[in-house]
Amino acid sequence: QVQLVESGGGLVQPGGSLRLSCVASGSIFRINGMGWYRQAPGKARELVADITPGGNTNYADFVKGRFTISRDNAKNTVYLQMNSLKPEDTAVYYCNAGIHTVPLMTYANYWGRGTQVTVSS
């Protein structure tokens, strides 16, 4: 009933920038926290950044100062602005959100299908 769809991934050179977007749709009553995770082949999925409805943010050390997470509550959308990209940022980036759904007001975490980010020269 709920779908998260990421966009904005692609191929970029080291030092370049990308902006990821994730929009939630479906039987949504309220979205709580939203975040971005990433996973490279053979490695565990790791938190990149997350954000509360009020705009409080949390970043992994490896992206601090380079990435910025933001959200537009009216559009059910979360963004990840990625600057100064490095080859080690190459991964599939996943959107995550905690969502209350109608009509029964159930609460669960939802995941997008991911978008590939490749940083290479």
Side-chain angles (χ1 to χ4, degrees):
Q1 290 294 100
V2 173
Q3 190 172 12
L4 303 181
V5 180
E6 302 98 334
S7 62
L11 175 64
V12 66
Q13 292 185 314
S17 298
L18 285 173
R19 192 190 193 206
L20 306 183
S21 299
C22 171
V23 59
S25 62
S27 302
I28 297 169
F29 175 75
R30 186 178 184 271
I31 302 177
N32 196 4
M34 303 185 82
W36 290 94
Y37 293 71
R38 71 186 189 187
Q39 187 169 24
K43 296 185 178 180
R45 187 172 298 187
E46 61 186 353
L47 175 70
V48 177
D50 56 28
I51 185 168
T52 70
N56 293 109
T57 58
N58 177 58
Y59 295 94
D61 287 341
F62 55 81
V63 303
K64 206 166 188 177
R66 299 188 297 125
F67 293 8
T68 302
I69 189 170
S70 61
R71 64 190 287 170
D72 186 334
N73 293 331
K75 295 181 178 180
N76 291 337
T77 301
V78 63
Y79 306 94
L80 186 68
Q81 178 67 48
M82 304 186 294
N83 299 325
S84 302
L85 283 161
K86 305 174 180 179
E88 51 264 44
D89 294 320
T90 297
V92 177
Y93 284 70
Y94 296 91
C95 179
N96 174 264
I99 300 175
H100 289 275
T101 55
V102 294
L104 299 179
M105 300 301 164
T106 55
Y107 184 79
N109 272 299
Y110 294 86
W111 292 91
R113 296 187 185 276
T115 184
Q116 178 70 48
V117 172
T118 302
V119 185
S120 177
S121 59

